[in-house]
Amino acid sequence: MEALEATSNGTKAVPKTEETPKRERAKRVLPTLPSAASVADMNQVEYSGLADRTAVAWDSLKNYEMFSLSADGSFPMMKCSRSKAVRLADRQVMMVGGGVCFRVSLSNHPTQNKP
């Protein structure tokens, strides 16, 4: 009987005797975020924003876009991924499968007070 030789594309395959070691990736050294030492070091701020009057589908929001479940823009949230959102009030992550919401955009535009 003849021994069969492994071939590939008409060339003889050379059996591997030694495995090549995998290179380890260099770890990135990233700076940390600076934190305030105490509440006394923080400033009080107020943001104004605009909320859409018409509801949009969850799928039409881009990642990291702010939205609210109510038309008045209360309790703002942010879309993190296709299936997750975070409540900005308490930073709790929620799983989302779909639905409608109202876009919220932070703005420095002057607001018009209607009587």
Side-chain angles (χ1 to χ4, degrees):
M1 282 196 183
E2 290 183 31
L4 295 176
E5 294 181 16
T7 60
S8 174
N9 246 357
T11 59
K12 291 184 180 178
V14 178
K16 270 191 174 178
T17 56
E18 185 180 317
E19 288 196 29
T20 57
K22 290 185 179 181
R23 276 196 299 170
E24 290 187 26
R25 295 181 107 183
K27 292 186 179 181
R28 292 185 189 178
V29 179
L30 300 174
T32 60
L33 290 172
S35 62
S38 68
V39 177
D41 294 339
M42 295 182 179
N43 295 323
Q44 184 174 354
V45 295
E46 290 184 21
Y47 293 101
S48 62
L50 302 172
D52 276 352
R53 291 190 178 115
T54 57
V56 295
W58 167 256
D59 295 333
S60 67
L61 287 178
K62 296 180 180 177
N63 285 350
Y64 309 110
E65 192 169 0
M66 289 180 59
F67 68 95
S68 175
L69 297 177
S70 60
D72 64 357
S74 59
F75 302 106
M77 304 173 116
M78 184 180 289
K79 181 176 180 178
C80 299
S81 68
R82 181 176 40 191
S83 61
K84 288 183 185 174
V86 63
R87 289 189 302 223
L88 298 180
D90 57 1
R91 298 177 301 277
Q92 292 296 313
V93 176
M94 299 173 43
M95 298 300 289
V96 179
V100 294
C101 56
F102 299 88
R103 278 191 172 95
V104 173
S105 62
L106 295 180
S107 170
N108 58 358
H109 302 296
T111 56
Q112 188 178 14
N113 293 332
K114 295 182 181 178

